[in-house]
């Protein structure tokens, strides 16, 4: 799929995070995640909405925090199994792509936690091509705190440089990045926060991405919609399928990739499930180059 074949779209979701809704309501985010009925329903609603879409999306990516239970906690395995049971119903023609979040591998990940994630969900960082567009999935926890596995951070850095060199040689249409933690929420120079990457790391990554010609970074983690741009690099923060921490609705983002640009819109699960994608975006898909 190195060649551009015309416009296409994919679906981005984030933070199904089975267990957070109860934990958040009860004010016990450490151990309060022993129920996740509500999240199961929302994830089912997300899968049903995606399955109904016509034409079909090229893939469905989940940008981290698949479940709330941290590595080694009591309910993690059950939460993961329930999420897998829901996701099994995704249309077989729609590949699922998983990005690792802090709840999946820990705020300070260890090699063991990352290995366990990889066995369960696939690589913690990876790349793939769709119709001449190059996609990169990164493990943002290694940028957040790699103190327990510094060698894995080095390995991801070296791999990323190689991948960007490949992309430069291949003359791809666009490069798009997926990661759980946003580079920033609204401004590239905003203060450090739980929900963004530290300034020093952020600056380095933004420059690297900008120089490589990366078009957009899609992430989750914030449980609200947000975003901004840095020298033509768009930072897109999507709210959660699961627990909302702001005024947004449980939802998914539809991302249309045309030859010139990357256009996206966040839909509530209800809206996407009942009305599908609006005409404006469908028209962009219909334009054959």
């Amino acid at each position: 799929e190195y060649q551009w074949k015309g416009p296409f779209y994919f679906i981005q979701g984030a933070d199904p995070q089975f267990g957070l809704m109860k934990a958040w309501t009860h004010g016990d985010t450490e151990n309060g995640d022993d129920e996740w009925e509500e999240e199961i329903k929302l994830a089912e609603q997300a899968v049903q909405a995606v399955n109904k879409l016509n034409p079909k999306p090229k893939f469905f990516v989940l940008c981290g925090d698949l479940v709330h239970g941290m590595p080694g906690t009591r309910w993690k395995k059950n939460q993961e199994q329930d999420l897998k049971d829901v996701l099994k119903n995704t249309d077989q023609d729609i590949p699922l792509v998983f990005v690792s979040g802090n709840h999946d591998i820990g705020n300070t990940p260890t090699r063991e936690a990352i290995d366990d994630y990889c066995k369960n969900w696939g690589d913690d960082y990876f790349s793939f091509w769709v119709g001449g567009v190059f996609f990169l999935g990164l493990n943002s926890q290694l940028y957040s705190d790699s103190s327990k596995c510094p060698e894995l951070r080095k390995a991801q850095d070296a791999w990323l440089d190689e991948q960007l060199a490949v992309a430069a040689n291949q003359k791809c249409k666009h490069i798009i990045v997926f990661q759980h933690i946003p580079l920033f929420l609204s401004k590239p120079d905003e203060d450090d926060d739980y929900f963004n990457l530290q300034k020093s790391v952020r600056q380095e990554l933004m420059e690297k991405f900008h120089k490589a010609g990366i078009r957009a970074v899609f992430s989750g983690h914030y449980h609200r919609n947000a975003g901004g741009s840095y020298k033509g690099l768009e930072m897109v923060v999507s709210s959660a399928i699961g627990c909302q921490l702001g005024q947004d609705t449980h939802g998914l983002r539809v991302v249309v990739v045309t030859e010139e640009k990357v256009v996206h819109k966040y839909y509530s699960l209800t809206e996407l499930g009942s009305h599908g994608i609006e005409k404006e975006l469908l028209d962009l898909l219909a334009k054959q180059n």
Side-chain angles (χ1 to χ4, degrees):
E1 291 243 343
Y2 294 128
Q3 300 305 312
W4 177 253
K5 298 189 177 81
F8 64 86
Y9 81 102
F10 63 86
I11 300 291
Q12 182 221 2
D15 305 271
Q17 206 158 342
F18 283 21
L20 175 59
M21 288 171 91
K22 181 182 175 203
W24 187 256
T25 326
H26 285 245
D28 178 3
T29 53
E30 295 294 313
N31 320 299
D33 62 336
D34 57 348
E35 287 174 24
W36 48 93
E37 278 307 309
E38 249 182 299
E39 284 98 338
I40 289 177
K41 288 194 188 102
L42 290 162
E44 285 172 345
Q45 201 183 344
V47 167
Q48 284 158 7
V50 170
N51 285 348
K52 271 183 171 166
L53 295 172
N54 186 16
K56 288 188 198 310
K58 283 285 186 182
F59 60 88
F60 177 17
V61 58
L62 284 170
C63 284
D65 282 3
L66 304 171
V67 302
H68 184 64
M70 288 277 186
T73 55
R74 186 171 172 194
W75 304 107
K76 188 175 184 69
K77 288 277 172 269
N78 301 48
Q79 290 168 354
E80 289 186 326
Q81 191 50 56
D82 283 352
L83 177 59
K84 286 179 180 176
D85 289 343
V86 172
L87 294 173
K88 273 180 198 146
N89 298 316
T90 310
D91 188 309
Q92 287 178 336
D93 297 329
I94 304 171
L96 286 165
V97 178
F98 300 105
V99 177
S100 54
N102 56 309
H103 281 263
D104 305 312
I105 56 177
N107 285 325
T108 307
T110 60
R111 182 180 274 279
E112 294 70 41
I114 291 175
D115 285 348
D116 188 54
Y117 170 86
C118 293
K119 279 193 200 90
N120 252 311
W121 301 102
D123 294 335
D124 60 321
Y125 56 87
F126 52 84
S127 66
F128 61 95
W129 288 83
V130 173
V133 178
F134 192 45
F135 292 93
L136 292 161
L138 298 179
N139 178 343
S140 54
Q141 259 352 87
L142 295 175
Y143 295 125
S144 175
D145 182 357
S146 60
S147 55
K148 288 188 182 162
C149 52
E151 73 290 355
L152 297 183
R153 158 87 190 259
K154 282 201 186 86
Q156 175 168 260
D157 284 340
W159 172 87
L160 179 58
D161 290 340
E162 275 167 30
Q163 296 294 311
L164 294 175
V166 166
N169 289 336
Q170 287 282 0
K171 306 269 185 286
C172 51
K173 275 288 171 220
H174 306 292
I175 310 172
I176 292 174
V177 171
F178 299 121
Q179 59 187 53
H180 178 62
I181 302 181
L183 295 164
F184 57 89
L185 298 171
S186 57
K187 297 188 180 70
D189 59 351
E190 69 197 18
D191 292 338
D192 293 353
D193 185 299
Y194 171 77
F195 289 111
N196 60 22
L197 287 178
Q198 295 130 346
K199 267 188 174 167
S200 53
V201 182
R202 181 196 315 167
Q203 191 52 46
E204 196 185 322
L205 277 175
M206 289 189 310
E207 255 320 286
K208 181 180 283 195
F209 288 0
H210 163 66
K211 287 201 174 98
I214 289 171
R215 180 56 64 109
V217 177
F218 289 88
S219 69
H221 188 50
Y222 191 43
H223 295 254
R224 284 158 281 217
N225 287 309
S229 63
Y230 172 82
K231 297 184 180 175
L233 164 74
E234 192 183 3
M235 180 68 242
V236 185
V237 185
S238 293
S239 197
I241 292 172
C243 188
Q244 299 300 313
L245 301 183
Q247 301 307 305
D248 294 297
T249 49
H250 308 282
L252 293 168
R253 192 172 292 276
V254 172
V255 186
V256 175
V257 183
T258 73
E259 198 160 11
E260 292 79 37
K261 56 194 178 179
V262 176
V263 186
H264 52 86
K265 180 175 188 244
Y266 186 84
Y267 287 86
S268 76
L269 295 178
T270 316
E271 196 184 357
L272 194 62
S274 54
H275 302 298
I277 303 171
E278 67 200 57
K279 187 175 181 313
E280 213 178 334
L281 291 182
L282 288 172
D283 286 349
L284 288 175
L285 289 171
K287 287 187 178 141
Q288 282 311 318
N289 303 325

